[in-house]
Amino acid sequence: MKKYCFGIDVGGTTVKCGLFDVKGEVLDKWEIHTRTENNGINILPDVADTIAAKILEKKLDREEIAGVGIGVPGPVDEEGNVMVAVNLHWGYLQLTEEMEKMTGLPVRAGNDANVAALGEMWKGGGAGYHNVVMVTLGTGVGGGIIVNGKIVTGSHGAGGEIGHIHVEDSMEESCNCGNKGCLEQFVSATGIVRLANKMLDESDAPSVLRNGPVSAKTVFDAVKEKDGLAAEIAEQFGKYLGTALAVIAGVVDPEVFVIGGGVSKAGQVVIDYIRKYYREYAFSGCKDTAFALAELGNDAGIYGAARLVLD
Amino acid sequence: MKKYCFGIDVGGTTVKCGLFDVKGEVLDKWEIHTRTENNGINILPDVADTIAAKILEKKLDREEIAGVGIGVPGPVDEEGNVMVAVNLHWGYLQLTEEMEKMTGLPVRAGNDANVAALGEMWKGGGAGYHNVVMVTLGTGVGGGIIVNGKIVTGSHGAGGEIGHIHVEDSMEESCNCGNKGCLEQFVSATGIVRLANKMLDESDAPSVLRNGPVSAKTVFDAVKEKDGLAAEIAEQFGKYLGTALAVIAGVVDPEVFVIGGGVSKAGQVVIDYIRKYYREYAFSGCKDTAFALAELGNDAGIYGAARLVLD
């Protein structure tokens, strides 16, 4: 009878770690430093060590541990091999196989954005649903697609790469991915600043946004204060993202869209602008699909990673 | 030991029927008339009767029959309930349950476009793959998404409704679905005629297309004859569809796109125009995704339906 599982979220600076019971209650939560030097050769041994230490500390019976789930910042295939993880200085790595050897426990691995989506489905904004699309609006735009409770990994590990779907032909600046006109260039925190600066340049309208540095937060704060120009920026943001989510609904038709990341901290107003355009462009059967804010914040990754080993 | 299965494709005019062995060899193929009068109340009994007759005719042992798969023109949920099927004059119907009672055999049901995609994955243009996106370019645009060998049905039965993803803000004419600017309005056989007539009106360039009624076939025939205006129409077609498939790749990242329907009869030239724009807009990891022409034609539905009962 399995009672426990570990959820590990490997980031470029810290590795977040969680010990969970199999119902999804977090029993302990801690972090270790991510040692990226020497091509990140120490990262997996460090994770194995901290797990071994926790097993000792908590006097866990290994027979009662379902396994270790790991999310990493890069594409991961169905067999748990990492293609590349730039921020960890990793190239190709048989992650699942190596971690199983080091820990002596069953291991499952996934891309961090996908794993976060699974976490939100399990215990966050998507709880109670099994078909979820999560969008993380941070410095970039991450995504995760869950169909019937399982991550859609994709045949090149690019399932849920919705930050890089093409939304604008007229964009001349290149995205980090090399293409032009990606969703991320308009609706990430950085993208919202780009939209805002362009609109502030092109308009003479007064706005509180002219008083200081612009960020996604100042834009949505100004929207809440009924600033006209800020509202126009939010409309553009909502049009790009709402239309993109309507397209996604025509592909996988989820039960719920979960909106997370720093931009989502502005709250319901973000969903209101997205949903306005979503409803305009979504296929008739999907217009009433639910929207929810993410609830787990930076812990979504450890929840989702733990969930990986419980299938 | 199961040896046989039936695949049934219910259309508005005829019901296509197939008897298969479990390896996917078709043993017999026939059609019956679709009796849509009286809200289509006779359709299922007629299907049950023709199956019973075939079992007698072929002296099949019922113990050796894996079951009956059925594709229908309308949304079907995970439990095999039809929401509505306008062309059959059906409202809500517990299709799987009713057919199991009538036939005494296990029954699985799916949307016809999704089921056709499964058929092409099994024995057609997508054979050997398990992650397939199929696009059927006919009077409308149908789609089917297969992830890890299973149809993505969607939570409102709208999985794979890619004919109705939004691709053009400037479209003023409404699509049959009620929205404006759907993919179907530009890349279906009807959509290609629309693109062609618009371009013929707006240009004075000579073209063989000015000599008679325009169809998707005459456009691609003219492209093969190096007609300049026809090539421009094909570029527009390729841009709309290639960009849309690039977006879909950023959602489910398939191994192959299978292109079917009447328009695909023009052959490789259709794929060439689609892939040109697909490669421009797809996420870096997905630019080399395979493209194939559908191979099963009107039989894709019976193959896919038969495949439904073999999982």
Side-chain angles (χ1 to χ4, degrees):
Chain A
M1 182 65 183
K2 302 301 184 189
K3 289 187 180 172
Y4 309 104
C5 50
F6 287 93
I8 309 293
D9 182 14
V10 184
T13 311
T14 60
V15 180
K16 295 189 182 63
C17 309
L19 171 63
F20 294 81
D21 69 21
V22 293
K23 290 182 180 164
E25 286 298 311
V26 63
L27 305 175
D28 198 2
K29 216 170 76 172
W30 70 102
E31 294 185 0
I32 62 173
H33 175 61
T34 309
R35 290 199 284 157
T36 54
E37 59 271 23
N38 299 323
N39 297 324
I41 198 170
N42 296 305
I43 297 173
L44 290 188
D46 287 353
V47 171
D49 286 349
T50 196
I51 289 170
K54 190 59 64 177
I55 291 171
L56 278 178
E57 177 198 328
K58 299 285 184 182
K59 300 186 175 64
L60 302 180
D61 180 350
R62 285 185 153 260
E63 293 297 311
E64 293 182 340
I65 302 173
V68 179
I70 306 188
V72 298
V76 179
D77 71 15
E78 292 276 344
E79 284 71 44
N81 304 309
V82 178
M83 307 294 107
V84 62
V86 178
N87 292 342
L88 306 181
H89 302 187
W90 285 355
Y92 180 83
L93 180 67
Q94 292 177 303
L95 175 57
T96 298
E97 194 179 322
E98 292 209 14
M99 273 303 283
E100 288 193 339
K101 278 186 205 156
M102 289 184 205
T103 60
L105 292 166
V107 173
R108 293 287 176 277
N111 166 268
D112 56 359
N114 291 345
V115 165
L118 192 65
E120 288 287 343
M121 180 201 82
W122 195 28
K123 293 291 168 184
Y129 296 105
H130 293 91
N131 292 284
V132 177
V133 170
M134 180 165 178
V135 187
T136 304
L137 305 170
T139 312
V141 171
I145 314 282
I146 312 287
V147 171
N148 292 332
K150 307 273 185 192
I151 291 169
V152 177
T153 303
S155 60
H156 311 87
E161 277 291 356
I162 63 186
H164 301 288
I165 66 180
H166 182 76
V167 298
E168 179 59 80
D169 286 351
S170 70
M171 185 66 173
E172 291 181 3
E173 213 174 311
S174 287
C175 180
N176 288 332
C177 77
N179 289 348
K180 290 177 182 174
C182 291
L183 181 63
E184 178 166 301
Q185 293 183 283
F186 303 94
V187 305
S188 64
T190 329
I192 293 169
V193 171
R194 179 186 286 114
L195 284 177
N197 285 333
K198 183 159 180 283
M199 197 159 278
L200 287 165
D201 280 353
E202 289 171 359
S203 159
D204 290 329
S207 169
V208 296
L209 295 173
R210 297 192 190 278
N211 300 341
V214 174
S215 68
K217 184 177 186 314
T218 63
V219 169
F220 281 104
D221 283 348
V223 168
K224 291 172 191 171
E225 291 163 24
K226 311 285 181 202
D227 186 278
L229 202 68
E232 283 183 52
I233 297 163
E235 292 281 344
Q236 287 199 357
F237 159 87
K239 178 152 199 243
Y240 281 117
L241 187 49
T243 308
L245 297 187
V247 169
I248 292 170
V251 184
V252 294
D253 183 16
E255 295 165 280
V256 64
F257 290 99
V258 177
I259 313 294
V263 174
S264 74
K265 290 185 182 159
Q268 184 61 35
V269 63
V270 173
I271 288 182
D272 293 343
Y273 279 99
I274 300 168
R275 190 149 53 179
K276 173 177 172 185
Y277 291 94
Y278 174 80
R279 289 185 57 86
E280 182 169 348
Y281 294 117
F283 183 59
S284 52
C286 312
K287 286 190 192 287
D288 293 325
T289 298
F291 279 75
L293 292 166
E295 293 176 3
L296 301 176
N298 292 332
D299 287 346
I302 58 172
Y303 276 89
R307 183 71 180 77
L308 278 180
V309 291
L310 297 178
D311 279 332
Chain B
M1 181 64 184
K2 301 302 182 188
K3 289 188 180 171
Y4 308 105
C5 51
F6 287 94
I8 309 293
D9 182 15
V10 184
T13 311
T14 59
V15 181
K16 295 188 182 65
C17 308
L19 171 63
F20 294 81
D21 69 21
V22 293
K23 290 182 179 164
E25 287 297 313
V26 63
L27 306 176
D28 198 3
K29 216 169 74 173
W30 71 101
E31 294 184 1
I32 61 172
H33 176 60
T34 308
R35 290 198 286 156
T36 54
E37 59 272 23
N38 298 322
N39 297 322
I41 198 172
N42 297 305
I43 298 174
L44 290 188
D46 287 352
V47 170
D49 286 348
T50 196
I51 289 171
K54 191 60 66 177
I55 291 172
L56 278 178
E57 176 198 329
K58 299 284 185 183
K59 301 186 175 63
L60 302 180
D61 179 352
R62 285 186 152 258
E63 293 298 310
E64 294 182 340
I65 302 173
V68 179
I70 307 189
V72 298
V76 180
D77 71 14
E78 293 276 345
E79 284 71 43
N81 304 308
V82 178
M83 307 293 107
V84 63
V86 178
N87 293 341
L88 307 181
H89 303 185
W90 284 355
Y92 180 84
L93 179 68
Q94 292 178 303
L95 175 57
T96 297
E97 195 179 321
E98 294 210 14
M99 273 303 284
E100 289 192 338
K101 278 187 205 155
M102 289 184 206
T103 61
L105 292 165
V107 173
R108 294 286 175 278
N111 166 268
D112 57 0
N114 291 344
V115 165
L118 192 64
E120 288 287 343
M121 179 200 84
W122 195 28
K123 293 290 167 184
Y129 296 105
H130 293 90
N131 292 283
V132 176
V133 170
M134 180 164 177
V135 188
T136 303
L137 306 171
T139 312
V141 172
I145 314 283
I146 312 287
V147 171
N148 292 332
K150 307 273 186 194
I151 291 168
V152 176
T153 303
S155 59
H156 310 87
E161 276 291 356
I162 62 185
H164 300 289
I165 65 180
H166 182 76
V167 299
E168 179 59 79
D169 285 351
S170 70
M171 186 66 173
E172 291 181 2
E173 212 174 313
S174 288
C175 180
N176 288 332
C177 78
N179 288 347
K180 288 175 183 175
C182 292
L183 182 62
E184 178 167 302
Q185 294 183 283
F186 304 94
V187 305
S188 63
T190 330
I192 293 169
V193 171
R194 180 186 284 111
L195 283 178
N197 285 333
K198 184 160 180 281
M199 197 159 279
L200 287 165
D201 279 353
E202 289 171 0
S203 159
D204 291 328
S207 169
V208 297
L209 296 174
R210 297 192 189 278
N211 301 340
V214 174
S215 68
K217 183 177 187 316
T218 63
V219 169
F220 280 104
D221 282 349
V223 168
K224 291 173 191 170
E225 290 164 25
K226 311 287 182 200
D227 186 280
L229 202 68
E232 283 183 52
I233 298 162
E235 291 282 344
Q236 287 199 0
F237 160 86
K239 177 151 199 241
Y240 281 116
L241 187 50
T243 308
L245 297 187
V247 168
I248 292 170
V251 184
V252 294
D253 182 16
E255 296 164 280
V256 63
F257 290 99
V258 177
I259 313 296
V263 174
S264 74
K265 290 185 182 159
Q268 184 62 34
V269 62
V270 173
I271 288 182
D272 292 342
Y273 278 98
I274 299 168
R275 188 149 54 180
K276 173 177 172 185
Y277 292 94
Y278 174 80
R279 289 185 56 87
E280 181 170 349
Y281 294 117
F283 183 59
S284 52
C286 312
K287 286 190 193 285
D288 293 325
T289 298
F291 279 75
L293 292 167
E295 293 176 3
L296 301 177
N298 291 332
D299 287 346
I302 57 171
Y303 276 89
R307 182 71 179 76
L308 278 179
V309 291
L310 297 178
D311 279 332

